[in-house]
Amino acid sequence: MSSSTTNIESVLHEERVFPPAASFSEAAHISSPADYERLRAEAADAPEEFWARMAGELHWFKKWDTVLKWDAPHAEWFAGGKTNVSYNCLDRHLETWRRNKAAIIWEGEPGEQRTLTYLQLHREVCRFANVLRRMGVREGDRVALYLPLVPELAIAMLACARIGATHSIIFGGFSATAIIDRVNDAGCRVVVTADGGWRRGAEVKLKETVDEALKGTPTVEHCIVVRRTGSRVNMTAGRDHWWHELAETVSADCPAAELDSEHPLFILYTSGTTGKPKGILHTTAGYLLWAHLTTKWVFDLKDEDTYWCTADIGWVTGHSYVVYGPLSNGATTLMYEGAPNWPEPDRFWRIIERHRVNIFYTAPTAIRAFIKWGEQWVSKHDLSSLRLLGTVGEPINPEAWMWYREVVGGGRCPIVDTWWQTETGGIMISPLPGATPTKPGSATKPLPGIEVDIMTKTGEAVTAAGQGGYLVIKRPWPSMLRTIWGDDARYREAYWSEIDGVYFAGDGARRDRDGYYWIMGRVDDVINVSGHRLGTMEIESALVSHEAVAEAAVVARPDELKGSGIVAFVTLEGSRETSDALKEELRRHVAKEIGALARPDEIRFTDALPKTRSGKIMRRLLREIASSGAVSGDTTTLEDFSVLEKLRAQEEE
Ligand code: WT7
């Protein structure tokens, strides 16, 4: 680690402040604290006028009648308006000089490169939209996309948006069981996949996984397969079709459908505290407006920028900040298929140098890995093209923030630490890089138009500086989730019932004397592993589905690299013996049921789990045992103390 970062660990109370450089501010879209305050005040004083003015940045086939209809907790934004996300991301740029500007620059993990201009991308999107129509897909139908990070994924998204089909992207690391749950919940008619993709030099056989999944998905009529790796796959006659063969049979002309503002754009599944994953529903106009504005404001995006968000499109970050936000702004967005350490730990820096990337957006978990791999991998590349850095997914520790600033940003690039969620659709709390002085570890302040606060469980505002509480959002915003697909009761319950009248984000936070927000992490039983949310409940269900397991409780423990590691406490069926082989088998079982992401780092067998008298597992105690080996918290509600004794004794073994 560089000498500039060795003293950071000792800074317990973060006092450092980094104002943007004057040269950065002067050229920025929003260039001073006063500009920011003006926008904020405008939005707070007359929200509907503010949003109406902002919506003027999009193309409308027909203007809206009403900016917001709010029948809590249901919002309709820009009702009566007609627009199309694909049109906004493509067609409108074709009328400008951008028609031959690079829209997507793509690198495959093995090293291939492809560039698609706006004109070329438009043509591919139109073709695939016609392919989907030929497969019988109509407005409102759902299409599942299970693909590697290849241009065809962006093409398929935009093609769905073009004809009003609702896409549901399933991260390529998920298992067949996870696909079945998601495809059935949404009732998808078509699945788009690839033969495989590349990850750390190995082929991920996506089509094989889909073949297994499609045995359990009665609504799927067709499966369209991108040829990516060229390896052999089984094609079921009548059901499976090659993308490139279908694309040859259709025209490259496909006018964008004029869709209602509230037309469903996509469903994206995310973990909740209980039960199956929640299908978060986002709609057309409001989502696009906020993706568009936040990309422009937070990344200070200019036409000459080459912009790279490293997220997989299987997560919301990829939806909003690899595809929709950048393309709506007419930007050049970079996509890289593979791992950051393939073939060597400098792949990202190599890409930045090769393509002269100006804006780079990644996750704290990646930054911690870079720190571990060593500064030498970074410093051997010329990163002088970078002018702005961003992070998302989990709290970033100040020492990682400083390393990012010094080693990657050369001390000259502002860092935007962006807080948001799958549910919020776009960034909610973040510095504006030309206006907001930053503090390492703080996401700083809410964006204009966003009203956040910190509250107690009973809904009182926490006003004292530095005091922790629940992060809430007090006003509807255009890109808010509209509901949970097929389960509106759960929507009300999960987000609008915890604290009366406000959106409950599930994160703890505090606000300092300067009004800066510091996110403290999840307050519910959701584990954030490498910036991805996993419900403890899902992992527990996967464990219990194994015939040897009677009961399981899953908790997080701090992990230097991943943010959180997963520890599973497991009780076995009466006749079963504990063994290391069984531990391995259970870890594998979870990976198969959900995906490798959810594989427990550690399995601990126990005779019983600590429970309250009403039978609730006391995860808080297990969390303490998993992270420190001891229990210091309140145990008065514990039913059977001997359980704790045994768990502790086991720890000492
Ligand atoms: C949860 C949302 C939003 C895209 C990636 C994750 C945590 C997100 C930050 C940040 C601290 C953060 C929160 C949030 N989170 N960004 N900048 N600082 N925590 O999307 O899977 O919906 O997860 O990620 O806990 O609730 P997601």
Side-chain angles (χ1 to χ4, degrees):
M1 214 174 269
S2 74
S3 59
S4 61
T5 58
T6 43
N7 62 346
I8 292 158
E9 263 94 342
S10 61
V11 182
L12 288 174
H13 210 77
E14 191 51 62
E15 297 284 358
R16 287 166 294 192
V17 181
F18 296 90
S23 57
F24 190 101
S25 293
E26 274 158 26
H29 288 302
I30 300 173
S31 57
S32 69
D35 278 2
Y36 162 74
E37 290 302 341
R38 212 169 11 249
L39 271 175
R40 256 191 79 62
E42 187 192 335
D45 298 345
E48 304 212 356
E49 286 80 350
F50 171 79
W51 291 118
R53 183 164 78 80
M54 294 299 144
E57 297 209 7
L58 299 184
H59 171 90
W60 296 86
F61 297 116
K62 175 176 172 289
K63 205 184 152 188
W64 60 92
D65 303 319
T66 328
V67 173
L68 170 64
K69 289 190 193 165
W70 178 234
D71 178 9
H74 293 110
E76 268 182 66
W77 281 91
F78 307 108
K82 298 263 186 202
T83 185
N84 184 292
V85 169
S86 175
Y87 187 97
N88 272 282
C89 289
L90 300 168
D91 303 59
R92 65 166 160 162
H93 305 308
L94 303 187
E95 294 151 25
T96 72
W97 64 270
R98 294 191 194 95
R99 71 178 70 86
N100 283 321
K101 174 179 176 176
I104 295 176
I105 297 177
W106 174 81
E107 252 194 59
E109 194 186 73
E112 321 90 310
Q113 296 186 33
R114 259 171 89 187
T115 299
L116 286 160
T117 65
Y118 275 92
L119 202 56
Q120 290 166 336
L121 182 60
H122 177 262
R123 199 149 47 221
E124 297 302 320
V125 168
C126 288
R127 275 192 196 286
F128 196 64
N130 284 327
V131 164
L132 289 173
R133 283 211 170 121
R134 179 161 299 181
M135 295 283 111
V137 176
R138 298 285 171 261
E139 227 173 272
D141 285 347
R142 274 82 57 208
V143 173
L145 309 178
Y146 182 71
L147 283 159
L149 208 72
V150 290
E152 281 77 5
L153 178 47
I155 293 166
M157 294 164 80
L158 291 160
C160 287
R162 198 161 187 87
I163 62 170
T166 302
H167 61 68
S168 166
I169 303 185
I170 303 172
F171 170 59
F174 277 126
S175 66
T177 317
I179 299 174
I180 292 174
D181 290 346
R182 286 163 176 74
V183 165
N184 289 345
D185 187 74
C188 298
R189 294 184 64 181
V190 169
V191 176
V192 185
T193 188
D195 44 7
W198 295 105
R199 185 82 194 171
R200 218 160 274 129
E203 187 183 354
V204 183
K205 305 232 176 211
L206 297 171
K207 179 61 164 63
E208 268 181 20
T209 308
V210 168
D211 284 341
E212 199 187 325
L214 292 191
K215 292 175 194 157
T217 55
T219 57
V220 175
E221 295 155 34
H222 295 285
C223 175
I224 304 174
V225 188
V226 175
R227 175 131 51 178
R228 160 74 190 110
T229 57
S231 68
R232 272 189 61 104
V233 292
N234 294 318
M235 297 292 279
T236 302
R239 186 195 73 184
D240 298 350
H241 319 267
W242 287 108
W243 172 306
H244 60 273
E245 287 177 3
L246 292 174
E248 273 171 22
T249 66
V250 294
S251 104
D253 182 34
C254 178
E258 301 190 4
L259 301 172
D260 289 340
S261 293
E262 285 295 337
H263 189 77
L265 176 65
F266 68 84
I267 302 167
L268 181 60
Y269 287 83
T270 188
S271 298
T273 44
T274 52
K276 56 180 185 160
K278 302 180 281 198
I280 304 300
L281 179 69
H282 283 289
T283 58
T284 296
Y287 169 81
L288 181 67
L289 175 60
W290 196 232
H292 176 90
L293 289 175
T294 51
T295 306
K296 179 166 145 186
W297 290 347
V298 174
F299 301 110
D300 188 44
L301 196 64
K302 310 280 172 45
D303 250 320
E304 52 277 24
D305 283 319
T306 297
Y307 160 94
W308 184 20
C309 164
T310 68
D312 192 284
I313 296 177
W315 312 110
V316 73
T317 309
H319 287 61
S320 302
Y321 299 110
V322 176
V323 179
Y324 291 127
L327 295 180
S328 167
N329 280 284
T332 297
T333 181
L334 196 138
M335 283 170 66
Y336 165 58
E337 177 190 30
N341 54 349
W342 187 266
E344 289 195 292
D346 66 341
R347 184 62 182 269
F348 276 15
W349 322 123
R350 208 174 269 284
I351 291 173
I352 290 173
E353 181 172 17
R354 180 180 300 141
H355 300 285
R356 290 269 167 269
V357 171
N358 308 105
I359 301 167
F360 178 67
Y361 186 32
T362 196
T365 183
I367 297 167
R368 289 191 296 265
F370 301 141
I371 296 174
K372 195 183 108 193
W373 294 334
E375 194 173 317
Q376 71 279 10
W377 294 106
V378 191
S379 50
K380 68 188 232 203
H381 294 281
D382 174 8
L383 304 186
S384 60
S385 60
L386 288 175
R387 65 179 195 90
L388 176 65
L389 305 175
T391 124
V392 64
E394 53 182 310
I396 179 164
N397 29 323
E399 57 272 36
W401 194 100
M402 285 305 295
W403 187 93
Y404 196 28
R405 180 185 158 86
E406 297 303 327
V407 178
V408 178
R412 83 188 166 271
C413 305
I415 297 179
V416 288
D417 174 357
T418 63
W419 179 87
W420 59 296
Q421 310 178 292
T422 306
E423 292 86 344
T424 69
I427 297 168
M428 304 294 276
I429 307 178
S430 167
L432 292 167
T436 318
T438 52
K439 301 184 186 186
S442 170
T444 77
K445 295 185 176 189
L447 295 178
I450 304 301
E451 295 287 329
V452 303
D453 206 349
I454 294 174
M455 286 188 166
T456 64
K457 197 79 196 202
T458 49
E460 283 128 58
V462 174
T463 48
Q467 198 175 316
Y470 297 97
L471 185 63
V472 301
I473 305 170
K474 295 203 290 189
R475 250 186 226 263
W477 65 103
S479 65
M480 62 189 280
L481 77 164
R482 297 303 193 261
T483 188
I484 292 174
W485 183 262
D487 198 349
D488 196 58
R490 194 173 173 200
Y491 166 68
R492 288 173 179 275
E493 195 192 319
Y495 304 109
W496 299 95
S497 307
E498 292 281 344
I499 301 177
D500 211 32
V502 296
Y503 171 87
F504 179 79
D507 280 353
R510 62 190 164 85
R511 197 173 39 219
D512 70 15
R513 237 175 274 114
D514 302 324
Y516 278 46
Y517 283 79
W518 299 76
I519 310 296
M520 291 150 64
R522 302 293 305 179
V523 294
D524 51 20
D525 289 325
V526 171
I527 306 183
N528 190 322
V529 179
S530 302
H532 304 306
R533 269 154 66 184
L534 293 170
T536 52
M537 175 65 196
E538 286 163 78
I539 307 173
E540 287 162 6
S541 309
L543 283 163
V544 174
S545 74
H546 189 281
E547 36 94 26
V549 175
E551 196 172 35
V554 165
V555 297
R557 91 168 154 221
D559 182 281
E560 219 180 285
L561 226 51
K562 297 191 291 181
S564 294
I566 301 171
V567 181
F569 293 86
V570 172
T571 60
L572 295 178
E573 292 287 350
S575 57
R576 299 296 295 240
E577 292 287 324
T578 65
S579 71
D580 284 347
L582 184 56
K583 281 187 183 174
E584 254 328 290
E585 191 180 319
L586 292 178
R587 295 178 70 236
R588 263 202 310 274
H589 180 72
V590 173
K592 180 168 172 291
E593 288 294 305
I594 306 176
L597 194 67
R599 183 190 291 123
D601 296 280
E602 191 185 340
I603 303 259
R604 293 201 193 176
F605 293 122
T606 170
D607 293 340
L609 294 167
K611 291 186 184 170
T612 62
R613 263 156 269 206
S614 61
K616 273 194 182 164
I617 296 174
M618 294 183 74
R619 287 197 183 71
R620 176 171 56 79
L621 302 183
L622 293 174
R623 257 195 299 271
E624 284 190 62
I625 291 174
S627 44
S628 68
V631 171
S632 56
D634 179 31
T635 55
T636 45
T637 52
L638 190 64
E639 183 211 30
D640 177 359
F641 282 95
S642 69
V643 173
L644 263 196
E645 287 308 321
K646 279 186 210 151
L647 281 167
R648 262 182 302 203
Q650 206 188 28
E651 166 68 19
E652 279 150 21
E653 269 169 23

